Amino acid sequence: SGKTPDYGKLRIFRCEAYTLVPKNDCQKLKSRSRKCIFLGYGPDRSFGYLLWDPKNRQLAHSADVNTTCPK
C-alpha cells in the first residue's frame, strides 16, 4: 500500500507486563495492577495481549497492559 508499517506496539516475548485489575476486584489499599509475563497477542490480533499470571498460574487476555519491554 506504500505506507511504512508501525512497529511501535510490538513487544519482546517474555518481558514483564502489568495488567489492570478490574474495578470490582480492587480494594482501597490494594494494588490496581498485576505483574504478568507477556506471551503474545490475542488470538484474532484485535483483542489486546496474551499474558501469563505466575501468581494465579493462569493465562490472561487484556487490552489494558503496560509493558517494561524495550520498544
Side-chain angles (χ1 to χ4, degrees), residues 3-16:
K3 294 182 183 179
T4 57
D6 178 24
Y7 298 115
K9 295 187 179 184
L10 293 178
R11 300 291 180 244
I12 298 172
F13 178 72
R14 293 195 52 145
C15 68
E16 290 181 354

Side-chain angles (χ1 to χ4, degrees), residues 44-56:
D44 59 358
R45 296 182 194 257
S46 64
F47 182 76
Y49 300 94
L50 179 63
L51 308 165
W52 172 252
D53 184 358
K55 185 176 179 183
N56 296 329

Side-chain angles (χ1 to χ4, degrees), residues 12-63:
I12 298 172
F13 178 72
R14 293 195 52 145
C15 68
E16 290 181 354
Y18 294 87
T19 183
L20 188 65
V21 175
K23 286 186 178 183
N24 57 354
D25 293 338
C26 285
Q27 295 176 359
K28 189 171 185 176
L29 299 175
K30 297 283 183 174
S31 177
R32 294 183 183 171
S33 64
R34 285 191 319 242
K35 184 177 177 181
C36 296
I37 299 170
F38 173 75
L39 295 180
Y41 300 97
D44 59 358
R45 296 182 194 257
S46 64
F47 182 76
Y49 300 94
L50 179 63
L51 308 165
W52 172 252
D53 184 358
K55 185 176 179 183
N56 296 329
R57 298 180 55 106
Q58 61 184 354
L59 287 175
H61 293 95
S62 180

